Amino acid sequence: METFITIIAGVLFTIGTYLILSKGLVRIILGISLFTHGVHLLLMAVNGLKKGGAPLLGEATDVYTDPLPQALILTSIVISFALTAFSLVLGYRTYVELGTDDLEQLKGDPNE
């Protein structure tokens, strides 16, 4: 199962790279969002998927799930949501102020 999740994370990284290399701000923001989802899946796959164990240690427990990677993923989800929301607001303000989201048009002419 970890191999399947790693392959899906690689696909998300590939699609995210393709979107980040485009010229539109919305596509770049979506690419960054896909990158963060790939990181979440990679963190989960690196920890390993354990079944049947609670994330707490008891006195006579042999099988347990480590809660630290779950906490890291949850924190990463919150941070990536805030980053995506902030980036979307900046992209919207750029579109409203300049009338375009194309990066080639935003560069402007250096001779002006």
Side-chain angles (χ1 to χ4, degrees), residues 42-101:
L42 218 55
L43 281 172
M44 190 169 52
V46 165
N47 181 44
L49 301 174
K50 296 176 181 72
K51 296 181 182 178
L56 302 172
L57 288 175
E59 292 181 19
T61 305
D62 292 335
V63 178
Y64 67 94
T65 303
D66 189 16
L68 183 63
Q70 296 172 9
L72 288 174
I73 292 171
L74 183 61
T75 306
S76 177
I77 288 170
V78 171
I79 291 171
S80 68
F81 176 73
L83 175 71
T84 303
F86 182 70
S87 301
L88 284 172
V89 168
L90 284 180
Y92 177 71
R93 286 291 296 164
T94 302
Y95 179 75
V96 168
E97 293 289 326
L98 301 175
T100 184
D101 70 339

Side-chain angles (χ1 to χ4, degrees), residues 22-26 94-95 98-108:
S22 66
K23 296 179 184 178
L25 282 177
V26 175
T94 302
Y95 179 75
L98 301 175
T100 184
D101 70 339
D102 189 15
L103 291 181
E104 291 296 322
Q105 293 177 357
L106 292 177
K107 276 196 318 191

